[in-house]
DNA sequence: ATAGGGTTAG
C-alpha cells in the first residue's frame, strides 16, 4: 500500500500510512523495500519527511543494506545536503557499485565535482551507469569540455553507450555552441542505433538551434515521431532566439492545432518571438489569452517579456506604464528590459531611473552600471561615464570578463577579452592588423563608445582587438577553410563596435559570421545582420 | 522484479 501511494507520488500520504503501520501492533513492520520506496518518494517530491524516515529507520534498528543507503544518499542529494550524503556514505561498511555510483552522482549534483571524480577514479569497478553519472555531473555543472573528454575515455574503455550518455554529450555541445561536435554526436547516435527518445530528440533540436543551425534543428524536429510540450517549446523558442519571429508564431498556431496544450514556458518563447519582430499587438493578445484561454497565470518572466516587447518597439512610455500597473512587484528582469530599451533608444533620463530601480531590487550589480555607462557614452556624456567607472571601482564591482568560444576542425578554442595566452596569439595580432587596414580602406571609423568604458585612453587603438569575439573572428578567418562560416558563442552581449565590425568583415572577406551572444543570435552576411541592429 | 545514470524549453 505504501508503495502504491509512493508510485502515485503522494509522499505525505504514504508517510501517514507508514505511521499508521507503526502504531498498530498487529500489522507487519515495514521492510527495507518499503523504507527505500518512502525515502525515494520523499526525494522525488522534495518532501521534508525524508530525514524523519531516516530517523525511524535508525530507531527501529533495521539492518542497513547498500540499496537503502544509496536511497538515503539520493534523498539528501535532492535536498542539497552534501554533509548528510557524506555521513551516510561513510557509515557504509562495504559500499558496492550502486552505492558508489549514487555517491558520485550526489556529489556532482551538490557541486563537489572534485570529490565525485576522485571517488569515480578510485572505484574498483565501473559500469555504464557510473560513467553516465560522472559525465552528466560535468554536463550539469557546465564543465562541458570535461564531459566530452570523459565521454572519449568511456568509448576507449569499450563501455556500452546508451541514450542517457548521449543526452549529456549533446547538452555539453549545446553549451559550448560546438556545432561540429554536435553533428558528430548526432551521426554517432544514428550509426550506433541509439534509441531516439523524446528527451534525446529534444536535446538535439535544442543543440542545433543554439548552435545557429536552424535548418537542421527543424529537420530533426519534424522527423521526431513523438513530441511533447518540451519539444514544441524548444522549437518555438529556438526560432525566436534566431530571429524568426513569424515562423515562431506559425509553429505556435500549429502546435495548438495539433492539440498540444502550451504551458507557461511556451508562452515565454512566443512573447520573445513577438519581441524580435516587433509584433506588439499580437504579443499583447497572446499575453491576454494566457489566463483567459489556457488558465495560466502570467509570472514575473512573462511581465518581463512584455516590458521588453514594448521597449524594443520604442514604446518606452507604455513599457514604463506596464511596469507601474503590473500586479506583481517588478523584478530585475522588468527593470533590466526597460534599461536595455533606454539604451537602444538613447533615453538617458528614463535609463537613469531604470538603473536606479534595478540596483534597488537586485543590489549592486555590474549589469546596471555597464548599461547606464553605455547610455552615457552613446549620448556623449563622458564625465558621467567616468563617474560610473569610479563608483564601480569604489564599490568593488568588476565587469565580467568577456569570453568567446569557437570550434575549428572539431577542436574548441576559447578567447578571453584582453588575454594573450592563446597559442596562436601572434598570428591573431598580425591578422587583426591586416583586418583593420582593410576596414579603414572601406571607410570604417571605430565607434569607441562602448569600448571606451573598460579601457585606458592610451590603449584605445590596440583595444579594438581586445574584445574576445574579434580575436575569435581573426583566428577564424585564417584557420577556417574558405566558405565555412565563423561560429562564435559569447558569454556577454556583443558590443556595438564588434557588431559593426562583424557586419563589415562579412562583406569585405565574404565570410558569414554567426555569433550567439547572451541574448540571441546574430547572423552576419553581406554587410548586414539578422537582428537588423536591434538587440 | 525491485533498488545506481537523464528532465531536454525561459
Amino acid at each position: 500500500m505504501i508503495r502504491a501511494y509512493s508510485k502515485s507520488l503522494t509522499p505525505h500520504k504514504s508517510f501517514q500510512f507508514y505511521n499508521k503501520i507503526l502504531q498498530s501492533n498487529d500489522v507487519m513492520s515495514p521492510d527495507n523495500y518499503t523504507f527505500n520506496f518512502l525515502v525515494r518518494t520523499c526525494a522525488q517530491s522534495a518532501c521534508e519527511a525524508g530525514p524523519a524516515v531516516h530517523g525511524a529507520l535508525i530507531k527501529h534498528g533495521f539492518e542497513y543494506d547498500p540499496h537503502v543507503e544509496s536511497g538515503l544518499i539520493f534523498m539528501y542529494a535532492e535536498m542539497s545536503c552534501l554533509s548528510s550524503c557524506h555521513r551516510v556514505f561513510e557509515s557504509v561498511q562495504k559500499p558496492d557499485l550502486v552505492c558508489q555510483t549514487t555517491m558520485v552522482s550526489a556529489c556532482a549534483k551538490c557541486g563537489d565535482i572534485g570529490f565525485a571524480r576522485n571517488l569515480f577514479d578510485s572505484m574498483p569497478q565501473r559500469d555504464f551507469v557510473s560513467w553516465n553519472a560522472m559525465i552528466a555531473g560535468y554536463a550539469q555543472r557546465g564543465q562541458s569540455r570535461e564531459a566530452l573528454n570523459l565521454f572519449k575515455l568511456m568509448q576507449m574503455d569499450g563501455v556500452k553507450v546508451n541514450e542517457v550518455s548521449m543526452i549529456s554529450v549533446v547538452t555539453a555541445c549545446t553549451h559550448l555552441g560546438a556545432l561540429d561536435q554536435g553533428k558528430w554526436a548526432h551521426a554517432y547516435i544514428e550509426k550506433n542505433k541509439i534509441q531516439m527518445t523524446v528527451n534525446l530528440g529534444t536535446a538535439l533540436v535544442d543543440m542545433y538551434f543554439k548552435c545557429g543551425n536552424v535548418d537542421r534543428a527543424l529537420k530533426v524536429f519534424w522527423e521526431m515521431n513523438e513530441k511533447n510540450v518540451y519539444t514544441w517549446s524548444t522549437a518555438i523558442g529556438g526560432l525566436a532566439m534566431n530571429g524568426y519571429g513569424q515562423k515562431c508564431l506559425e509553429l505556435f498556431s500549429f502546435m495548438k492545432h495539433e492539440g498540444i496544450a502550451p504551458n507557461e514556458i511556451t508562452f515565454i518563447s512566443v512573447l520573445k518571438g513577438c519581441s524580435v519582430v516587433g509584433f506588439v499587438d499580437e504579443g499583447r493578445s497572446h499575453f491576454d489569452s494566457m489566463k483567459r484561454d489556457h488558465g495560466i497565470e502570467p509570472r514575473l518572466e512573462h511581465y518581463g517579456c512584455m516590458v521588453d516587447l514594448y521597449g524594443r518597439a520604442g514604446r518606452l512610455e507604455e513599457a514604463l506604464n506596464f511596469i507601474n500597473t503590473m500586479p506583481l512587484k517588478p523584478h530585475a528582469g522588468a527593470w533590466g528590459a526597460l534599461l536595455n530599451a533606454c539604451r537602444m533608444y538613447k533615453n538617458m533620463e528614463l535609463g537613469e531611473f531604470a538603473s536606479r530601480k534595478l540596483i534597488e531590487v537586485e543590489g549592486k550589480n555590474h549589469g546596471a552600471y555597464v548599461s547606464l555607462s553605455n547610455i552615457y557614452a552613446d549620448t556623449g556624456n563622458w564625465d558621467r561615464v567616468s563617474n560610473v567607472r569610479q563608483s564601480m571601482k569604489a564599490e568593488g564591482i568588476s565587469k565580467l570578463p568577456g569570453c568567446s568560444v569557437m570550434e575549428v576542425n572539431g577542436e574548441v578554442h576559447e578567447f578571453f577579452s584582453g588575454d594573450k595566452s592563446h597559442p596562436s596569439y601572434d598570428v591573431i595580432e598580425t591578422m587583426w592588423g591586416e583586418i583593420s587596414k582593410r576596414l579603414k580602406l572601406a571607410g570604417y571609423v571605430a565607434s569607441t563608445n562602448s569600448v571606451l568604458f573598460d579601457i585606458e585612453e592610451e590603449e584605445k587603438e590596440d583595444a579594438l582587438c581586445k574584445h574576445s569575439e574579434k580575436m575569435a573572428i581573426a583566428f577564424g578567418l585564417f584557420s577556417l577553410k574558405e566558405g565555412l562560416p565563423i561560429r562564435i558563442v559569447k558569454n556577454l552581449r556583443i558590443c556595438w563596435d564588434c557588431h559593426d565590425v562583424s557586419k563589415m568583415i562579412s562583406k569585405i572577406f565574404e565570410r558569414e559570421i554567426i555569433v550567439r551572444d547572451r541574448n540571441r543570435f546574430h547572423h552576419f552576411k553581406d554587410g548586414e545582420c539578422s537582428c537588423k541592429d536591434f538587440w
Side-chain angles (χ1 to χ4, degrees):
Chain A
M1 194 57 200
I2 292 176
R3 266 173 259 177
Y5 273 130
S6 299
K7 278 189 177 160
S8 61
L9 293 181
T10 50
H12 286 287
K13 269 193 186 168
S14 44
F15 192 58
Q16 279 166 10
F17 193 76
Y18 153 78
N19 274 331
K20 247 187 234 165
I21 293 182
L22 286 189
Q23 279 154 22
S24 59
N25 296 320
D26 57 348
V27 187
M28 272 190 4
S29 303
D31 58 3
N32 276 1
Y33 294 160
T34 312
F35 269 121
N36 208 349
F37 255 106
L38 263 173
V39 168
R40 280 165 205 279
T41 312
C42 292
Q44 253 177 27
S45 339
C47 167
E48 53 303 323
V53 178
H54 186 190
L57 193 62
I58 293 170
K59 206 171 109 194
H60 289 272
F62 278 94
E63 225 173 85
Y64 270 29
D65 77 50
H67 294 304
V68 173
E69 278 143 352
S70 58
L72 288 167
I73 294 170
F74 177 70
M75 185 260 302
Y76 283 120
E78 285 297 301
M79 294 172 63
S80 306
C81 195
L82 188 57
S83 54
S84 298
C85 293
H86 279 294
R87 213 174 314 123
V88 175
F89 187 66
E90 277 157 21
S91 76
V92 187
Q93 270 137 21
K94 276 187 186 162
D96 66 347
L97 176 66
V98 173
C99 194
Q100 286 175 322
T101 302
T102 310
M103 190 60 185
V104 166
S105 169
C107 291
K109 208 170 270 170
C110 297
D112 193 351
I113 198 96
F115 187 92
R117 183 59 193 262
N118 283 339
L119 178 58
F120 177 79
D121 286 340
S122 74
M123 284 165 68
Q125 281 178 335
R126 303 179 207 120
D127 65 1
F128 72 105
V129 181
S130 330
W131 283 90
N132 284 351
M134 195 63 233
I135 294 171
Y138 280 123
Q140 280 167 359
R141 305 294 308 171
Q143 302 197 29
S144 312
R145 306 177 70 165
E146 282 303 321
L148 295 179
N149 286 338
L150 203 61
F151 179 68
K152 273 184 203 143
L153 291 180
M154 180 183 185
Q155 285 172 283
M156 278 167 25
D157 246 34
V159 186
K160 180 179 110 188
V161 168
N162 71 350
E163 78 277 5
V164 174
S165 334
M166 295 317 289
I167 288 175
S168 296
V169 170
V170 171
T171 305
C173 295
T174 307
H175 287 141
L176 288 171
L179 181 63
D180 288 346
Q181 300 219 27
K183 278 182 182 169
W184 175 85
H186 190 184
Y188 184 98
I189 290 165
E190 287 180 342
K191 195 178 134 209
N192 293 284
K193 305 219 169 15
I194 285 167
Q195 199 194 350
M196 182 60 75
T197 56
V198 191
N199 287 349
L200 182 54
T202 306
L204 271 175
V205 172
D206 192 40
M207 183 275 292
Y208 279 126
F209 273 122
K210 291 208 173 126
C211 290
N213 194 325
V214 176
D215 293 340
R216 276 196 181 231
L218 289 175
K219 189 166 181 287
V220 176
F221 175 79
W222 290 117
E223 279 171 4
M224 282 172 70
N225 44 28
E226 192 195 340
K227 305 181 187 71
N228 61 20
V229 66
Y230 285 82
T231 320
W232 284 94
S233 304
T234 300
I236 290 169
L239 286 169
M241 181 190 291
N242 281 279
Y244 296 92
Q246 183 71 48
K247 276 195 185 164
C248 154
L249 297 169
E250 283 165 14
L251 197 64
F252 180 55
S253 315
F254 193 71
M255 168 186 174
K256 287 192 288 189
H257 183 254
E258 293 277 287
I260 311 285
N263 65 15
E264 48 191 9
I265 308 294
T266 320
F267 274 103
I268 288 174
S269 303
V270 169
L271 294 177
K272 282 199 189 283
C274 294
S275 191
V276 293
V277 282
F279 291 169
V280 178
D281 297 333
E282 176 154 10
R284 177 80 216 199
S285 81
H286 285 305
F287 181 81
D288 291 337
S289 87
M290 282 180 67
K291 195 172 178 195
R292 191 189 57 223
D293 304 331
H294 303 277
I296 301 168
E297 193 71 50
R299 294 194 317 205
L300 277 171
E301 288 89 333
H302 300 100
Y303 286 97
C305 287
M306 288 304 290
V307 175
D308 183 63
L309 180 64
Y310 285 120
R312 216 170 267 276
R315 291 154 72 160
L316 298 181
E317 289 295 316
E318 284 166 273
L320 179 62
N321 187 42
F322 193 84
I323 292 183
N324 285 333
T325 54
M326 63 192 265
L328 304 169
K329 185 176 182 288
H331 67 316
W335 292 116
L338 183 62
L339 179 58
N340 189 44
C342 293
R343 178 186 62 81
M344 284 194 285
Y345 291 94
K346 303 191 200 303
N347 187 327
M348 192 175 87
E349 252 173 61
L350 194 54
E352 284 179 329
F353 176 71
S355 67
R356 263 204 309 281
K357 286 290 191 183
L358 184 56
I359 291 166
E360 217 172 84
V361 292
E362 198 179 35
K364 304 275 164 63
N365 174 298
H366 67 272
Y369 288 93
V370 173
S371 296
L372 186 61
S373 105
N374 283 344
I375 296 179
Y376 288 144
D378 282 343
T379 50
N381 287 284
W382 300 110
D383 48 335
R384 296 193 192 206
V385 172
S386 75
N387 280 345
V388 177
R389 283 176 66 175
Q390 275 163 16
S391 57
M392 273 182 85
K393 226 176 226 173
E395 312 266 8
I397 297 160
S398 55
K399 252 189 102 183
L400 266 181
C403 170
S404 291
V405 180
M406 184 173 54
E407 203 180 35
V408 175
N409 302 326
E411 211 180 309
V412 178
H413 294 258
E414 281 175 317
F415 302 88
F416 291 92
S417 112
D419 175 52
K420 301 185 178 179
S421 64
H422 190 278
S424 308
Y425 185 77
D426 291 345
V427 198
I428 291 173
E429 212 167 30
T430 316
M431 187 69 200
W432 189 256
E434 184 60 30
I435 294 170
S436 343
K437 256 188 237 159
R438 295 184 57 177
L439 284 174
K440 273 178 195 152
L441 277 176
Y444 163 73
V445 186
S447 54
T448 45
N449 287 359
S450 32
V451 188
L452 266 178
F453 170 66
D454 56 327
I455 57 164
E456 301 302 323
E457 287 293 316
E458 60 269 22
E459 291 174 343
K460 217 181 339 183
E461 186 68 22
D462 177 40
L464 291 172
C465 180
K466 282 203 164 167
H467 278 185
S468 58
E469 56 269 54
K470 288 192 179 126
M471 290 165 49
I473 289 173
F475 184 68
L477 275 177
F478 70 80
S479 59
L480 283 164
K481 273 197 206 119
E482 262 181 58
L484 280 179
I486 296 175
R487 297 172 182 275
I488 295 169
V489 177
K490 217 202 148 180
N491 65 337
L492 305 171
R493 282 198 183 173
I494 189 169
C495 84
W496 188 263
D497 186 63
C498 287
H499 195 266
D500 250 14
V501 165
S502 303
K503 282 199 288 187
M504 295 186 78
I505 291 177
S506 73
K507 189 166 184 175
I508 298 172
F509 291 83
E510 292 176 19
R511 181 78 83 145
E512 203 178 335
I513 301 173
I514 299 165
V515 179
R516 170 179 125 195
D517 78 2
R518 201 194 174 89
N519 205 33
R520 58 163 295 163
F521 271 94
H522 301 267
H523 293 249
F524 298 98
K525 206 178 172 182
D526 288 332
E528 305 225 340
C529 179
S530 62
C531 77
K532 308 265 184 278
D533 300 342
F534 274 94
W535 71 87

